[in-house]
Amino acid sequence: MSAEVLSEEFEVLESIYPTELTKLSEREIRITIEPDDPVDGVEPLALALDVEYTDGYPDSLPNFSLEATEGELDEAEIKHLHDELQKVGEENLGMAMTFTLVTHLRERLSGLLREREERARQEEAEKERRAIEAEEARTRGTPVTVESFRSWKARFDKEMAEKRAREEEEKLKGMSPKEREEYKRMQTRLTGRQLFERDRTLGSEDENFNEEGAVSVDISQYDRNAQEEEENDEDRVTFSDSD
């Protein structure tokens, strides 16, 4: 390659890239490359392309190297871009190819920015999806089954029994011995209806599950038994006319 040919190419490149091109020597230049289409919200990218022209240029490839000057490009991305430049240069042997190499890099940087924008959008969408699922799971709670309900009911009944026992103990502490005896006697004289009403909640909740073998309870039987007990008590009462 004659110095005249190289000088002509330098002159053309300087007119196209007046601020981006730096002449490093008689045979070597550096061109700062930025993407054609910057993307808002994505970290900018920029490269430095160093080109060293060989004696056989343009019939042989120049030596070139790439360096990231802004943003992050890993080694794999740099190597991929370098391999693409090699291929583009081979397709343009016999012609001044520096402009073509720079154009390709500008387009590829734009493509990388769009890929990163799309990746960020997908990550944000996935993050939002997980947040929605977590909120739905929090508000939905655990589905209730017969087994889980029975387990919960057993724990609930135990807690309530312990609470009633503590309250009972505190109540008895404030009574005299006679009052405690009377209170205990009254507690043991629950009618059939009272017993039924006390456990009525459990019966209603079990029926909601529509289990086979459910027993139908006629509350009138409790009322009848209670009435009979009261009538029997009245029959046992005697009056004395001696007074």
Side-chain angles (χ1 to χ4, degrees), residues 64 66 77-92 100-101 104-105 107-109 112 115:
F64 48 78
L66 293 170
E77 289 173 320
I78 293 289
K79 184 178 185 306
H80 185 67
L81 291 173
H82 190 279
D83 292 344
E84 288 182 348
L85 281 187
Q86 190 86 12
K87 183 177 180 180
V88 171
E90 291 172 352
E91 293 172 352
N92 288 272
T100 304
L101 296 177
H104 175 79
L105 285 175
E107 292 173 353
R108 286 297 294 122
L109 287 182
L112 285 173
E115 291 171 7

Side-chain angles (χ1 to χ4, degrees), residues 226-239:
Q227 184 176 359
E228 290 175 356
E229 289 178 4
E230 292 173 357
E231 290 175 354
N232 291 335
D233 287 343
E234 292 175 357
D235 292 341
R236 287 195 293 268
V237 176
T238 61
F239 296 91

Side-chain angles (χ1 to χ4, degrees), residues 2 16 35 59 68 71 101 116 139 174 184 188 218 221 229-230:
S2 65
I16 300 173
D59 295 323
L101 296 177
R116 293 182 178 188
T139 56
K184 290 178 180 179
T188 59
D218 185 359
Q221 296 296 328
E229 289 178 4
E230 292 173 357

Side-chain angles (χ1 to χ4, degrees), residues 150-189:
R150 285 176 173 171
S151 176
W152 170 84
K153 189 65 170 63
R155 293 194 303 271
F156 176 78
D157 289 344
K158 181 180 178 182
E159 292 173 0
M160 293 304 295
E162 292 173 350
K163 180 181 179 182
R164 285 194 295 269
R166 289 193 298 269
E167 292 174 350
E168 190 89 352
E169 184 179 353
E170 289 299 320
K171 184 183 293 184
L172 291 174
K173 285 180 180 179
M175 297 181 181
S176 65
K178 183 177 180 180
E179 289 173 333
R180 283 198 293 269
E181 287 298 321
E182 181 65 17
Y183 177 78
K184 290 178 180 179
R185 186 179 67 82
M186 294 298 296
Q187 291 298 103
T188 59
R189 283 185 56 82

